[in-house]
Amino acid sequence: MKLSMLLWLTSLMPQPVADQACLATTVYLEARSEPLNGQLAVAEVAMRRLDRGRWGNTLCKVVTAPHQFAITTTPGSFEISNLEAFNKAWQVAGTSLRNWQLPIAQRRMLVPHADHFATTAIAPAWSRNRPSVTIGEHAFYAVN
């Protein structure tokens, strides 16, 4: 399925399903080749951003905020073709949504306070002088 079609479909879905689809798509695009903890950490960043409200009031709005996640920088013609990886991303998204429904003290957090991440191959200006946690090929940062 093309990315543009999947994103269009989320506009027709009930909010909880749309949120899981948007989060799963983000995990797929950002971290499908990463270990499970890396995928969960990417989802955690999106969930934290939702809580903070700066990037949007639904997960779909958060992950489609301009230039924040791969979902906005990947061409709409991109084919989501690895169904096994998308299924894993869907499971990660569901796990993350359930985890985030728990009281804060009970949530499992892999990257506490992190609201940004980048591949370890680059060092964005916003990452300088900030402590990070590295999982797989991503470094996670608390920026805001």
Side-chain angles (χ1 to χ4, degrees):
M1 177 179 294
K2 293 199 182 307
L3 176 60
S4 59
M5 175 62 90
L6 181 56
L7 293 177
W8 176 77
L9 286 171
T10 64
S11 70
L12 304 176
M13 297 173 181
Q15 197 58 56
V17 179
D19 280 346
Q20 187 167 356
C22 287
L23 187 57
T25 303
T26 299
V27 169
Y28 178 88
L29 294 173
E30 296 281 6
R32 68 183 169 274
S33 63
E34 293 296 307
L36 178 60
N37 279 349
Q39 292 186 12
L40 288 165
V42 165
E44 183 179 321
V45 166
M47 298 300 296
R48 188 166 291 110
R49 284 183 173 206
L50 176 62
D51 275 358
R52 293 184 180 168
R54 180 175 168 196
W55 293 274
N57 61 358
T58 68
L59 266 173
C60 288
K61 287 180 181 177
V62 167
V63 300
T64 60
H67 308 291
Q68 297 300 308
F69 291 93
I71 206 167
T72 64
T73 59
T74 303
S77 60
F78 179 83
E79 190 74 32
I80 296 175
S81 57
N82 185 336
L83 296 181
E84 184 177 330
F86 191 83
N87 184 52
K88 182 178 179 185
W90 183 266
Q91 299 305 317
V92 165
T95 297
S96 297
L97 287 163
R98 286 187 300 279
N99 181 53
W100 223 252
Q101 290 173 347
L102 298 171
I104 292 173
Q106 294 177 18
R107 291 179 189 164
R108 177 177 181 241
M109 293 195 208
L110 296 168
V111 288
H113 311 291
D115 55 10
H116 284 69
F117 63 89
T119 177
T120 55
I122 63 170
W126 51 258
S127 70
R128 293 196 179 91
N129 301 319
R130 299 192 188 277
S132 67
V133 173
T134 300
I135 301 174
E137 297 295 319
H138 289 95
F140 296 84
Y141 305 88
V143 175
N144 295 304

PDB file of all heavy atoms in Angstrom, residues 34-68:
ATOM      1  N   GLU A  34      15.056  -1.805  13.326  1.00  0.00           N
ATOM      2  CA  GLU A  34      15.611  -1.691  14.679  1.00  0.00           C
ATOM      3  C   GLU A  34      15.078  -2.803  15.582  1.00  0.00           C
ATOM      4  O   GLU A  34      14.030  -3.392  15.311  1.00  0.00           O
ATOM      5  CB  GLU A  34      15.238  -0.331  15.278  1.00  0.00           C
ATOM      6  CG  GLU A  34      15.894   0.835  14.580  1.00  0.00           C
ATOM      7  CD  GLU A  34      17.405   0.808  14.722  1.00  0.00           C
ATOM      8  OE1 GLU A  34      17.906   0.723  15.852  1.00  0.00           O
ATOM      9  OE2 GLU A  34      18.088   0.873  13.682  1.00  0.00           O
ATOM     10  N   PRO A  35      15.790  -3.060  16.705  1.00  0.00           N
ATOM     11  CA  PRO A  35      15.280  -4.037  17.668  1.00  0.00           C
ATOM     12  C   PRO A  35      13.972  -3.531  18.292  1.00  0.00           C
ATOM     13  O   PRO A  35      13.648  -2.340  18.196  1.00  0.00           O
ATOM     14  CB  PRO A  35      16.395  -4.134  18.712  1.00  0.00           C
ATOM     15  CG  PRO A  35      17.182  -2.879  18.576  1.00  0.00           C
ATOM     16  CD  PRO A  35      17.041  -2.453  17.138  1.00  0.00           C
ATOM     17  N   LEU A  36      13.249  -4.426  18.931  1.00  0.00           N
ATOM     18  CA  LEU A  36      11.953  -4.085  19.528  1.00  0.00           C
ATOM     19  C   LEU A  36      12.060  -2.860  20.435  1.00  0.00           C
ATOM     20  O   LEU A  36      11.233  -1.953  20.358  1.00  0.00           O
ATOM     21  CB  LEU A  36      11.413  -5.284  20.321  1.00  0.00           C
ATOM     22  CG  LEU A  36      10.090  -5.061  21.047  1.00  0.00           C
ATOM     23  CD1 LEU A  36       8.978  -4.696  20.073  1.00  0.00           C
ATOM     24  CD2 LEU A  36       9.719  -6.290  21.855  1.00  0.00           C
ATOM     25  N   ASN A  37      13.072  -2.800  21.302  1.00  0.00           N
ATOM     26  CA  ASN A  37      13.200  -1.646  22.196  1.00  0.00           C
ATOM     27  C   ASN A  37      13.402  -0.348  21.419  1.00  0.00           C
ATOM     28  O   ASN A  37      12.932   0.704  21.848  1.00  0.00           O
ATOM     29  CB  ASN A  37      14.334  -1.853  23.206  1.00  0.00           C
ATOM     30  CG  ASN A  37      13.895  -2.705  24.372  1.00  0.00           C
ATOM     31  OD1 ASN A  37      12.711  -2.993  24.549  1.00  0.00           O
ATOM     32  ND2 ASN A  37      14.847  -3.129  25.183  1.00  0.00           N
ATOM     33  N   GLY A  38      14.087  -0.409  20.302  1.00  0.00           N
ATOM     34  CA  GLY A  38      14.256   0.780  19.474  1.00  0.00           C
ATOM     35  C   GLY A  38      12.939   1.246  18.887  1.00  0.00           C
ATOM     36  O   GLY A  38      12.655   2.450  18.819  1.00  0.00           O
ATOM     37  N   GLN A  39      12.116   0.304  18.465  1.00  0.00           N
ATOM     38  CA  GLN A  39      10.801   0.649  17.929  1.00  0.00           C
ATOM     39  C   GLN A  39       9.903   1.214  19.026  1.00  0.00           C
ATOM     40  O   GLN A  39       9.192   2.201  18.823  1.00  0.00           O
ATOM     41  CB  GLN A  39      10.166  -0.569  17.270  1.00  0.00           C
ATOM     42  CG  GLN A  39      10.883  -0.986  16.011  1.00  0.00           C
ATOM     43  CD  GLN A  39      10.170  -2.104  15.268  1.00  0.00           C
ATOM     44  OE1 GLN A  39       9.027  -2.439  15.542  1.00  0.00           O
ATOM     45  NE2 GLN A  39      10.855  -2.680  14.299  1.00  0.00           N
ATOM     46  N   LEU A  40       9.942   0.595  20.191  1.00  0.00           N
ATOM     47  CA  LEU A  40       9.146   1.099  21.320  1.00  0.00           C
ATOM     48  C   LEU A  40       9.590   2.496  21.728  1.00  0.00           C
ATOM     49  O   LEU A  40       8.771   3.341  22.095  1.00  0.00           O
ATOM     50  CB  LEU A  40       9.238   0.137  22.507  1.00  0.00           C
ATOM     51  CG  LEU A  40       8.480  -1.183  22.350  1.00  0.00           C
ATOM     52  CD1 LEU A  40       8.931  -2.194  23.394  1.00  0.00           C
ATOM     53  CD2 LEU A  40       6.976  -0.952  22.417  1.00  0.00           C
ATOM     54  N   ALA A  41      10.894   2.770  21.657  1.00  0.00           N
ATOM     55  CA  ALA A  41      11.415   4.085  22.023  1.00  0.00           C
ATOM     56  C   ALA A  41      10.937   5.155  21.034  1.00  0.00           C
ATOM     57  O   ALA A  41      10.595   6.271  21.440  1.00  0.00           O
ATOM     58  CB  ALA A  41      12.934   4.048  22.112  1.00  0.00           C
ATOM     59  N   VAL A  42      10.901   4.837  19.753  1.00  0.00           N
ATOM     60  CA  VAL A  42      10.381   5.777  18.753  1.00  0.00           C
ATOM     61  C   VAL A  42       8.915   6.083  19.067  1.00  0.00           C
ATOM     62  O   VAL A  42       8.500   7.245  19.062  1.00  0.00           O
ATOM     63  CB  VAL A  42      10.552   5.214  17.322  1.00  0.00           C
ATOM     64  CG1 VAL A  42       9.704   5.990  16.319  1.00  0.00           C
ATOM     65  CG2 VAL A  42      12.020   5.233  16.919  1.00  0.00           C
ATOM     66  N   ALA A  43       8.141   5.071  19.358  1.00  0.00           N
ATOM     67  CA  ALA A  43       6.732   5.270  19.708  1.00  0.00           C
ATOM     68  C   ALA A  43       6.607   6.100  20.986  1.00  0.00           C
ATOM     69  O   ALA A  43       5.730   6.970  21.084  1.00  0.00           O
ATOM     70  CB  ALA A  43       6.036   3.921  19.868  1.00  0.00           C
ATOM     71  N   GLU A  44       7.486   5.854  21.943  1.00  0.00           N
ATOM     72  CA  GLU A  44       7.453   6.598  23.201  1.00  0.00           C
ATOM     73  C   GLU A  44       7.650   8.101  22.959  1.00  0.00           C
ATOM     74  O   GLU A  44       6.986   8.932  23.577  1.00  0.00           O
ATOM     75  CB  GLU A  44       8.532   6.062  24.143  1.00  0.00           C
ATOM     76  CG  GLU A  44       8.550   6.703  25.503  1.00  0.00           C
ATOM     77  CD  GLU A  44       9.617   6.120  26.410  1.00  0.00           C
ATOM     78  OE1 GLU A  44       9.850   4.888  26.383  1.00  0.00           O
ATOM     79  OE2 GLU A  44      10.228   6.908  27.163  1.00  0.00           O
ATOM     80  N   VAL A  45       8.574   8.447  22.071  1.00  0.00           N
ATOM     81  CA  VAL A  45       8.806   9.861  21.749  1.00  0.00           C
ATOM     82  C   VAL A  45       7.519  10.483  21.198  1.00  0.00           C
ATOM     83  O   VAL A  45       7.133  11.582  21.608  1.00  0.00           O
ATOM     84  CB  VAL A  45       9.981  10.019  20.759  1.00  0.00           C
ATOM     85  CG1 VAL A  45      10.022  11.422  20.160  1.00  0.00           C
ATOM     86  CG2 VAL A  45      11.301   9.694  21.454  1.00  0.00           C
ATOM     87  N   ALA A  46       6.846   9.803  20.296  1.00  0.00           N
ATOM     88  CA  ALA A  46       5.598  10.324  19.735  1.00  0.00           C
ATOM     89  C   ALA A  46       4.531  10.473  20.817  1.00  0.00           C
ATOM     90  O   ALA A  46       3.820  11.483  20.858  1.00  0.00           O
ATOM     91  CB  ALA A  46       5.107   9.423  18.607  1.00  0.00           C
ATOM     92  N   MET A  47       4.435   9.498  21.704  1.00  0.00           N
ATOM     93  CA  MET A  47       3.444   9.558  22.783  1.00  0.00           C
ATOM     94  C   MET A  47       3.743  10.733  23.723  1.00  0.00           C
ATOM     95  O   MET A  47       2.832  11.443  24.149  1.00  0.00           O
ATOM     96  CB  MET A  47       3.417   8.241  23.564  1.00  0.00           C
ATOM     97  CG  MET A  47       3.018   7.020  22.750  1.00  0.00           C
ATOM     98  SD  MET A  47       1.378   7.128  22.007  1.00  0.00           S
ATOM     99  CE  MET A  47       0.360   7.198  23.450  1.00  0.00           C
ATOM    100  N   ARG A  48       5.003  10.929  24.034  1.00  0.00           N
ATOM    101  CA  ARG A  48       5.394  12.036  24.909  1.00  0.00           C
ATOM    102  C   ARG A  48       5.057  13.371  24.249  1.00  0.00           C
ATOM    103  O   ARG A  48       4.589  14.302  24.899  1.00  0.00           O
ATOM    104  CB  ARG A  48       6.883  11.942  25.241  1.00  0.00           C
ATOM    105  CG  ARG A  48       7.328  12.939  26.295  1.00  0.00           C
ATOM    106  CD  ARG A  48       8.696  12.637  26.872  1.00  0.00           C
ATOM    107  NE  ARG A  48       8.614  11.418  27.685  1.00  0.00           N
ATOM    108  CZ  ARG A  48       9.171  10.248  27.349  1.00  0.00           C
ATOM    109  NH1 ARG A  48       9.878  10.127  26.243  1.00  0.00           N
ATOM    110  NH2 ARG A  48       9.036   9.193  28.138  1.00  0.00           N
ATOM    111  N   ARG A  49       5.298  13.463  22.949  1.00  0.00           N
ATOM    112  CA  ARG A  49       4.966  14.696  22.242  1.00  0.00           C
ATOM    113  C   ARG A  49       3.456  14.953  22.265  1.00  0.00           C
ATOM    114  O   ARG A  49       3.017  16.096  22.385  1.00  0.00           O
ATOM    115  CB  ARG A  49       5.464  14.641  20.806  1.00  0.00           C
ATOM    116  CG  ARG A  49       6.961  14.852  20.701  1.00  0.00           C
ATOM    117  CD  ARG A  49       7.373  14.849  19.256  1.00  0.00           C
ATOM    118  NE  ARG A  49       8.766  15.198  19.110  1.00  0.00           N
ATOM    119  CZ  ARG A  49       9.262  15.733  18.028  1.00  0.00           C
ATOM    120  NH1 ARG A  49       8.489  15.972  16.976  1.00  0.00           N
ATOM    121  NH2 ARG A  49      10.553  16.024  17.953  1.00  0.00           N
ATOM    122  N   LEU A  50       2.664  13.893  22.162  1.00  0.00           N
ATOM    123  CA  LEU A  50       1.215  14.043  22.256  1.00  0.00           C
ATOM    124  C   LEU A  50       0.845  14.609  23.623  1.00  0.00           C
ATOM    125  O   LEU A  50       0.051  15.553  23.721  1.00  0.00           O
ATOM    126  CB  LEU A  50       0.515  12.698  22.026  1.00  0.00           C
ATOM    127  CG  LEU A  50      -1.005  12.701  22.190  1.00  0.00           C
ATOM    128  CD1 LEU A  50      -1.670  13.613  21.178  1.00  0.00           C
ATOM    129  CD2 LEU A  50      -1.538  11.281  22.079  1.00  0.00           C
ATOM    130  N   ASP A  51       1.418  14.066  24.678  1.00  0.00           N
ATOM    131  CA  ASP A  51       1.135  14.553  26.029  1.00  0.00           C
ATOM    132  C   ASP A  51       1.462  16.031  26.178  1.00  0.00           C
ATOM    133  O   ASP A  51       0.755  16.764  26.854  1.00  0.00           O
ATOM    134  CB  ASP A  51       1.953  13.774  27.072  1.00  0.00           C
ATOM    135  CG  ASP A  51       1.291  12.480  27.498  1.00  0.00           C
ATOM    136  OD1 ASP A  51       0.177  12.177  27.030  1.00  0.00           O
ATOM    137  OD2 ASP A  51       1.906  11.767  28.318  1.00  0.00           O
ATOM    138  N   ARG A  52       2.543  16.459  25.570  1.00  0.00           N
ATOM    139  CA  ARG A  52       2.988  17.849  25.727  1.00  0.00           C
ATOM    140  C   ARG A  52       2.144  18.830  24.925  1.00  0.00           C
ATOM    141  O   ARG A  52       2.144  20.021  25.202  1.00  0.00           O
ATOM    142  CB  ARG A  52       4.459  17.970  25.374  1.00  0.00           C
ATOM    143  CG  ARG A  52       5.297  17.224  26.396  1.00  0.00           C
ATOM    144  CD  ARG A  52       6.754  17.366  26.180  1.00  0.00           C
ATOM    145  NE  ARG A  52       7.457  16.614  27.226  1.00  0.00           N
ATOM    146  CZ  ARG A  52       8.739  16.347  27.188  1.00  0.00           C
ATOM    147  NH1 ARG A  52       9.471  16.774  26.170  1.00  0.00           N
ATOM    148  NH2 ARG A  52       9.305  15.664  28.160  1.00  0.00           N
ATOM    149  N   GLY A  53       1.410  18.333  23.925  1.00  0.00           N
ATOM    150  CA  GLY A  53       0.465  19.157  23.189  1.00  0.00           C
ATOM    151  C   GLY A  53       1.052  20.164  22.215  1.00  0.00           C
ATOM    152  O   GLY A  53       0.308  20.834  21.505  1.00  0.00           O
ATOM    153  N   ARG A  54       2.343  20.284  22.149  1.00  0.00           N
ATOM    154  CA  ARG A  54       2.974  21.284  21.282  1.00  0.00           C
ATOM    155  C   ARG A  54       2.863  20.922  19.800  1.00  0.00           C
ATOM    156  O   ARG A  54       2.853  21.800  18.948  1.00  0.00           O
ATOM    157  CB  ARG A  54       4.439  21.414  21.684  1.00  0.00           C
ATOM    158  CG  ARG A  54       5.211  22.401  20.877  1.00  0.00           C
ATOM    159  CD  ARG A  54       6.611  22.570  21.394  1.00  0.00           C
ATOM    160  NE  ARG A  54       7.389  23.307  20.424  1.00  0.00           N
ATOM    161  CZ  ARG A  54       8.688  23.359  20.416  1.00  0.00           C
ATOM    162  NH1 ARG A  54       9.374  22.719  21.337  1.00  0.00           N
ATOM    163  NH2 ARG A  54       9.326  24.046  19.509  1.00  0.00           N
ATOM    164  N   TRP A  55       2.788  19.646  19.493  1.00  0.00           N
ATOM    165  CA  TRP A  55       2.823  19.189  18.104  1.00  0.00           C
ATOM    166  C   TRP A  55       1.454  18.749  17.589  1.00  0.00           C
ATOM    167  O   TRP A  55       1.329  18.364  16.444  1.00  0.00           O
ATOM    168  CB  TRP A  55       3.831  18.050  17.959  1.00  0.00           C
ATOM    169  CG  TRP A  55       5.241  18.511  18.169  1.00  0.00           C
ATOM    170  CD1 TRP A  55       6.079  19.044  17.214  1.00  0.00           C
ATOM    171  CD2 TRP A  55       5.991  18.482  19.379  1.00  0.00           C
ATOM    172  NE1 TRP A  55       7.284  19.354  17.785  1.00  0.00           N
ATOM    173  CE2 TRP A  55       7.267  19.013  19.110  1.00  0.00           C
ATOM    174  CE3 TRP A  55       5.714  18.057  20.680  1.00  0.00           C
ATOM    175  CZ2 TRP A  55       8.259  19.138  20.076  1.00  0.00           C
ATOM    176  CZ3 TRP A  55       6.697  18.182  21.645  1.00  0.00           C
ATOM    177  CH2 TRP A  55       7.951  18.721  21.339  1.00  0.00           C
ATOM    178  N   GLY A  56       0.432  18.735  18.429  1.00  0.00           N
ATOM    179  CA  GLY A  56      -0.898  18.335  17.999  1.00  0.00           C
ATOM    180  C   GLY A  56      -1.650  17.631  19.111  1.00  0.00           C
ATOM    181  O   GLY A  56      -1.057  17.207  20.105  1.00  0.00           O
ATOM    182  N   ASN A  57      -2.963  17.483  18.928  1.00  0.00           N
ATOM    183  CA  ASN A  57      -3.789  16.871  19.977  1.00  0.00           C
ATOM    184  C   ASN A  57      -4.252  15.454  19.632  1.00  0.00           C
ATOM    185  O   ASN A  57      -5.073  14.893  20.338  1.00  0.00           O
ATOM    186  CB  ASN A  57      -4.974  17.773  20.308  1.00  0.00           C
ATOM    187  CG  ASN A  57      -5.887  18.012  19.115  1.00  0.00           C
ATOM    188  OD1 ASN A  57      -5.623  17.540  18.009  1.00  0.00           O
ATOM    189  ND2 ASN A  57      -6.965  18.738  19.339  1.00  0.00           N
ATOM    190  N   THR A  58      -3.738  14.894  18.544  1.00  0.00           N
ATOM    191  CA  THR A  58      -3.936  13.479  18.232  1.00  0.00           C
ATOM    192  C   THR A  58      -2.585  12.940  17.763  1.00  0.00           C
ATOM    193  O   THR A  58      -1.717  13.719  17.337  1.00  0.00           O
ATOM    194  CB  THR A  58      -4.968  13.257  17.096  1.00  0.00           C
ATOM    195  OG1 THR A  58      -4.419  13.740  15.860  1.00  0.00           O
ATOM    196  CG2 THR A  58      -6.311  13.914  17.407  1.00  0.00           C
ATOM    197  N   LEU A  59      -2.410  11.648  17.840  1.00  0.00           N
ATOM    198  CA  LEU A  59      -1.150  11.071  17.367  1.00  0.00           C
ATOM    199  C   LEU A  59      -0.937  11.332  15.882  1.00  0.00           C
ATOM    200  O   LEU A  59       0.192  11.593  15.453  1.00  0.00           O
ATOM    201  CB  LEU A  59      -1.106   9.571  17.647  1.00  0.00           C
ATOM    202  CG  LEU A  59      -0.434   9.188  18.953  1.00  0.00           C
ATOM    203  CD1 LEU A  59      -0.584   7.703  19.220  1.00  0.00           C
ATOM    204  CD2 LEU A  59       1.024   9.584  18.973  1.00  0.00           C
ATOM    205  N   CYS A  60      -1.995  11.284  15.111  1.00  0.00           N
ATOM    206  CA  CYS A  60      -1.847  11.557  13.677  1.00  0.00           C
ATOM    207  C   CYS A  60      -1.338  12.973  13.448  1.00  0.00           C
ATOM    208  O   CYS A  60      -0.461  13.201  12.599  1.00  0.00           O
ATOM    209  CB  CYS A  60      -3.154  11.308  12.935  1.00  0.00           C
ATOM    210  SG  CYS A  60      -3.560   9.541  12.798  1.00  0.00           S
ATOM    211  N   LYS A  61      -1.844  13.943  14.203  1.00  0.00           N
ATOM    212  CA  LYS A  61      -1.358  15.317  14.059  1.00  0.00           C
ATOM    213  C   LYS A  61       0.089  15.431  14.530  1.00  0.00           C
ATOM    214  O   LYS A  61       0.890  16.149  13.918  1.00  0.00           O
ATOM    215  CB  LYS A  61      -2.258  16.289  14.818  1.00  0.00           C
ATOM    216  CG  LYS A  61      -3.596  16.491  14.141  1.00  0.00           C
ATOM    217  CD  LYS A  61      -4.468  17.448  14.917  1.00  0.00           C
ATOM    218  CE  LYS A  61      -5.817  17.598  14.223  1.00  0.00           C
ATOM    219  NZ  LYS A  61      -6.722  18.457  14.992  1.00  0.00           N
ATOM    220  N   VAL A  62       0.429  14.751  15.607  1.00  0.00           N
ATOM    221  CA  VAL A  62       1.801  14.802  16.130  1.00  0.00           C
ATOM    222  C   VAL A  62       2.788  14.265  15.099  1.00  0.00           C
ATOM    223  O   VAL A  62       3.801  14.902  14.803  1.00  0.00           O
ATOM    224  CB  VAL A  62       1.922  14.020  17.460  1.00  0.00           C
ATOM    225  CG1 VAL A  62       3.371  13.789  17.853  1.00  0.00           C
ATOM    226  CG2 VAL A  62       1.169  14.752  18.570  1.00  0.00           C
ATOM    227  N   VAL A  63       2.511  13.092  14.553  1.00  0.00           N
ATOM    228  CA  VAL A  63       3.492  12.473  13.648  1.00  0.00           C
ATOM    229  C   VAL A  63       3.485  13.082  12.257  1.00  0.00           C
ATOM    230  O   VAL A  63       4.427  12.876  11.498  1.00  0.00           O
ATOM    231  CB  VAL A  63       3.352  10.932  13.584  1.00  0.00           C
ATOM    232  CG1 VAL A  63       3.553  10.314  14.971  1.00  0.00           C
ATOM    233  CG2 VAL A  63       2.039  10.510  12.969  1.00  0.00           C
ATOM    234  N   THR A  64       2.435  13.857  11.924  1.00  0.00           N
ATOM    235  CA  THR A  64       2.420  14.525  10.627  1.00  0.00           C
ATOM    236  C   THR A  64       2.748  16.012  10.744  1.00  0.00           C
ATOM    237  O   THR A  64       2.640  16.747   9.750  1.00  0.00           O
ATOM    238  CB  THR A  64       1.072  14.343   9.898  1.00  0.00           C
ATOM    239  OG1 THR A  64       0.020  14.892  10.705  1.00  0.00           O
ATOM    240  CG2 THR A  64       0.807  12.880   9.588  1.00  0.00           C
ATOM    241  N   ALA A  65       3.173  16.459  11.915  1.00  0.00           N
ATOM    242  CA  ALA A  65       3.647  17.845  12.054  1.00  0.00           C
ATOM    243  C   ALA A  65       4.841  18.013  11.109  1.00  0.00           C
ATOM    244  O   ALA A  65       5.692  17.119  11.012  1.00  0.00           O
ATOM    245  CB  ALA A  65       4.031  18.135  13.499  1.00  0.00           C
ATOM    246  N   PRO A  66       4.917  19.116  10.405  1.00  0.00           N
ATOM    247  CA  PRO A  66       5.955  19.278   9.382  1.00  0.00           C
ATOM    248  C   PRO A  66       7.386  19.015   9.873  1.00  0.00           C
ATOM    249  O   PRO A  66       7.798  19.544  10.897  1.00  0.00           O
ATOM    250  CB  PRO A  66       5.791  20.744   8.946  1.00  0.00           C
ATOM    251  CG  PRO A  66       4.365  21.064   9.256  1.00  0.00           C
ATOM    252  CD  PRO A  66       4.044  20.285  10.500  1.00  0.00           C
ATOM    253  N   HIS A  67       8.068  18.166   9.155  1.00  0.00           N
ATOM    254  CA  HIS A  67       9.496  17.875   9.356  1.00  0.00           C
ATOM    255  C   HIS A  67       9.842  17.313  10.738  1.00  0.00           C
ATOM    256  O   HIS A  67      10.961  17.491  11.211  1.00  0.00           O
ATOM    257  CB  HIS A  67      10.332  19.118   9.062  1.00  0.00           C
ATOM    258  CG  HIS A  67      10.022  19.711   7.731  1.00  0.00           C
ATOM    259  ND1 HIS A  67      10.351  19.086   6.541  1.00  0.00           N
ATOM    260  CD2 HIS A  67       9.371  20.851   7.393  1.00  0.00           C
ATOM    261  CE1 HIS A  67       9.932  19.829   5.542  1.00  0.00           C
ATOM    262  NE2 HIS A  67       9.328  20.891   6.021  1.00  0.00           N
ATOM    263  N   GLN A  68       8.904  16.619  11.361  1.00  0.00           N
ATOM    264  CA  GLN A  68       9.173  16.066  12.681  1.00  0.00           C
ATOM    265  C   GLN A  68       9.465  14.567  12.622  1.00  0.00           C
ATOM    266  O   GLN A  68      10.311  14.084  13.356  1.00  0.00           O
ATOM    267  CB  GLN A  68       8.002  16.341  13.639  1.00  0.00           C
ATOM    268  CG  GLN A  68       7.770  17.815  13.886  1.00  0.00           C
ATOM    269  CD  GLN A  68       8.975  18.490  14.498  1.00  0.00           C
ATOM    270  OE1 GLN A  68       9.507  18.038  15.496  1.00  0.00           O
ATOM    271  NE2 GLN A  68       9.419  19.566  13.876  1.00  0.00           N
TER     272      GLN A  68
END
